[in-house]
Amino acid sequence: KKKNPNKTRIFLPHLMASMEVEESYIMIKPDGVQRGLVGEIISRFEKKGFKLKGLKLFHCPKQLAEEHYKDLSSKPFFPKLITYITSGPVVCMAWEGVGVVASARKLIGATNPLQAEPGTIRGDLAVQTGRNVVHGSDSPENGKREIALWFKEGELTEWTPVQTPWLVE
Ligand code: ADP
C-alpha cells in the first residue's frame, strides 16, 4: 500500500496495533490573546483528546504572515489580514490525532463567526470574520506545511500521552 506523506503511523502498545495520525496547525490570533481566550481555546482541543506537540507565544513578522496566507494574497482584505495577524502575539500550536484536521475545523466553526454554530469556538466567542480568534489548517497537507513554517527544529516534542488507552479501543 502506498504511504501517505501527510500521515504518520504510530504504535499503540495497549492494542499491539498502530494507527495513522495527521497534524493540524492551530493558531490563536492576536484578538484571542488580547481577549484572554488562550486557556479557553487550548482547553477545547485538549479535552477533545488530541495531542499537543508544539506550543509557543510569538509575535510574527509580516513576511511570515504573508507566506502563511499566500493563497489569499489577491483578496481585497489581504492587507488588513496581514495587519491583524501581526498586530500582537499569537499562540502557535501543533496538534496530532486521527482526523485532527477536519475535526479541528469543526471545533473552530465557520469562517464568519455569525454563521458559526453555537458550541464552536467562533460560534461561542466571536462576531466578525476579521476578528475570528483562531486559525486551523484546511488539509493534512497544509497542516504539515504550516507546522514546518511556524516551528523551528527542536520546537516540537514527541511524547506518549497516558490517556491514549482511555481514548482509543
Ligand atoms: P478560515 O480561517 O476559516 O480557513 P479563510 O482561509 O477563507 O478562512 O480565510 C483566512 C482568514 O482570512 C479568515 O480566518 C479571516 O481571518 C480572514 N478573512 C477571510 N475572509 C475575510 C473577509 N471577507 N474579510 C476580512 N477578513 C477575512
Side-chain angles (χ1 to χ4, degrees), residues 1-164:
K1 209 177 123 202
K2 202 146 164 252
K3 203 171 173 295
N4 185 335
N6 301 316
K7 303 221 182 198
T8 309
R9 188 156 280 284
I10 59 168
F11 186 64
L12 303 169
H14 75 291
L15 295 177
M16 293 300 284
S18 62
M19 64 179 182
E20 275 200 327
V21 292
E22 53 192 40
E23 291 168 337
S24 183
Y25 176 64
I26 305 293
M27 175 167 72
I28 305 173
K29 297 178 179 181
D31 49 333
V33 176
Q34 294 290 354
R35 292 178 54 210
L37 299 174
V38 171
E40 165 81 36
I41 293 171
I42 294 179
S43 180
R44 295 190 181 210
F45 296 98
E46 199 179 30
K47 285 186 223 164
K48 174 75 173 170
F50 294 127
K51 176 173 142 191
L52 186 62
K53 294 180 78 178
L55 172 69
K56 66 177 178 186
L57 184 74
F58 178 57
H59 198 140
C60 101
K62 192 165 176 240
Q63 201 190 339
L64 178 58
E66 286 171 347
E67 175 64 23
H68 174 78
Y69 281 123
K70 66 174 184 222
D71 292 348
L72 300 173
S73 61
S74 62
K75 302 278 184 195
F77 59 80
F78 186 73
K80 262 175 60 181
L81 174 59
I82 300 306
T83 302
Y84 164 45
I85 294 301
T86 58
S87 64
V90 296
V91 174
C92 309
M93 293 178 278
W95 287 92
E96 181 189 87
V98 175
V100 65
V101 169
S103 176
R105 299 275 294 183
K106 285 200 161 183
L107 292 172
I108 288 170
T111 305
N112 180 345
L114 293 183
Q115 270 142 36
E117 294 293 330
T120 65
I121 295 169
R122 288 169 176 166
D124 289 348
L125 306 173
V127 291
Q128 268 194 359
T129 303
R131 294 288 182 270
N132 61 4
V133 301
V134 65
H135 164 82
S137 306
D138 63 5
S139 67
E141 189 186 358
N142 276 336
K144 283 246 178 225
R145 177 183 81 85
E146 291 168 1
I147 287 168
L149 185 65
W150 287 87
F151 287 97
K152 291 192 215 112
E153 213 172 290
E155 287 183 335
L156 299 172
T157 303
E158 279 309 332
W159 59 293
T160 305
V162 292
Q163 66 170 337
T164 307

